[in-house]
């Protein structure tokens, strides 16, 4: 069973369907906009975006994940990425911005910034600060046929650690993770980015633009 460096099971991610993410991204950018997707996994969001008419380059550090992606792929760590070209949109989903270490988040945002066209838009999914106050063990639900449940939630200042438990087709998987609450404005400014609006009512998706606004 293939498992990525951060503990993701390729098998379970192949079973997870998109949950509205492609539509959120599509509505936030121009028709046909080119997209650099950071942390694509096996193409759960990539493939619907292709069907919606976008050119997508998918980036992941797992060859096992990228083996399932049906578009141009790049196997690399996000922080190290430098393709020498820019895109109409850069997508940073799956709460990857909530890294446990501030330096890792800064590196991810810097990578997104250097691939963003001057008029482009960065599209981000994150855990907003209020999520850290309300999340609890036992929360979960169904994503397609996959049952998801959080367990072992532990808070330590701005850090939150937990285990995501997945089950489907008589199989069970688990993935431990740690994420950090942070000040959005400060993080964006440090990466020469500026906030450009919320994309969902629950504020779990937002957009940013290149450069700082006065």
């Amino acid at each position: 069973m293939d498992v990525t460096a951060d503990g993701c099971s390729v098998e379970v991610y192949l079973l997870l369907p998109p949950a509205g993410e492609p539509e959120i991204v599509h509505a936030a950018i121009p028709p046909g906009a080119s997209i650099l997707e950071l942390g694509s996994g096996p193409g759960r969001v990539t493939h619907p975006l292709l069907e919606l008419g976008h050119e997508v380059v998918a980036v992941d550090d797992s060859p096992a994940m990228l083996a399932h992606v049906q578009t141009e792929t790049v196997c690399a760590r996000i922080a190290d990425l430098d393709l020498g070209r820019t895109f109409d949109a850069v997508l940073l989903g799956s709460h990857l911005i909530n890294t446990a270490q501030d330096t890792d988040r800064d590196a991810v945002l810097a990578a997104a910034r250097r691939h963003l066209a001057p008029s482009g838009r960065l599209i981000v999914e994150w855990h907003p600060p209020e999520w850290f106050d309300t999340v609890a063990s036992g929360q979960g639900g169904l994503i397609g046929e996959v049952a998801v449940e959080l367990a072992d939630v532990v808070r330590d200042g701005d850090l939150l650690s937990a285990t995501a438990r997945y089950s489907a087709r008589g199989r069970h998987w688990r993935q431990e993770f740690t994420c950090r609450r942070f000040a959005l404005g400060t993080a964006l400014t440090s990466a020469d980015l500026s906030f450009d609006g919320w994309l969902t009512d629950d504020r779990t998706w937002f957009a940013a633009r290149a450069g700082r606004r006065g």
Side-chain angles (χ1 to χ4, degrees):
M1 179 178 64
D2 290 314
V3 177
T4 66
D6 61 351
C8 298
S9 167
V10 177
E11 185 178 13
V12 73
Y13 272 74
L14 286 170
L15 293 175
L16 288 170
E21 301 95 338
E23 290 76 16
I24 292 170
V25 176
H26 180 65
I29 60 179
S34 61
I35 301 172
L36 178 66
E37 184 184 3
L38 303 177
S40 68
R44 184 177 65 89
V45 176
T46 318
H47 297 142
L49 287 173
L50 291 169
E51 293 172 0
L52 287 166
H54 298 283
E55 173 190 342
V56 185
V57 175
V59 177
D60 205 282
D61 64 359
S62 168
M65 288 285 197
L66 290 177
H68 301 276
V69 178
Q70 300 171 16
T71 188
E72 180 183 349
T73 62
V74 178
C75 188
R77 293 177 63 249
I78 295 171
D80 300 333
L81 190 69
D82 192 348
L83 299 180
R85 57 176 171 159
T86 59
F87 297 79
D88 301 322
V90 176
L91 170 58
L92 186 57
S94 300
H95 314 103
L96 293 175
I97 195 175
N98 290 99
T99 57
Q101 300 297 325
D102 291 339
T103 52
D104 291 338
R105 181 180 62 251
D106 291 344
V108 167
L109 284 173
R113 171 66 180 86
R114 65 177 166 262
H115 291 93
L116 193 64
S119 60
R121 210 172 191 204
L122 173 62
I123 309 299
V124 184
E125 180 184 22
W126 77 322
H127 291 306
E130 55 269 24
W131 178 86
F132 289 81
D133 297 325
T134 59
V135 67
S137 296
Q139 292 180 345
L142 278 175
I143 305 178
E145 63 179 297
V146 181
V148 184
E149 181 183 12
L150 282 181
D152 309 319
V153 173
V154 176
R155 293 174 173 83
D156 180 10
D158 286 333
L159 289 174
L160 185 145
S161 299
T163 300
R165 296 176 177 172
Y166 304 93
S167 58
R169 303 182 182 182
R171 299 288 308 279
H172 302 277
W173 306 266
R174 54 186 287 134
Q175 180 183 356
E176 297 178 356
F177 66 92
T178 299
C179 53
R180 180 180 293 276
R181 181 197 329 236
F182 67 93
L184 180 56
T186 301
L188 293 178
T189 299
S190 297
D192 189 33
L193 293 162
S194 57
F195 180 76
D196 195 40
W198 302 110
L199 303 180
T200 57
D201 291 340
D202 61 5
R203 299 193 174 192
T204 57
W205 287 83
F206 66 87
R209 299 274 187 184
R212 305 178 187 182
R213 296 185 178 179

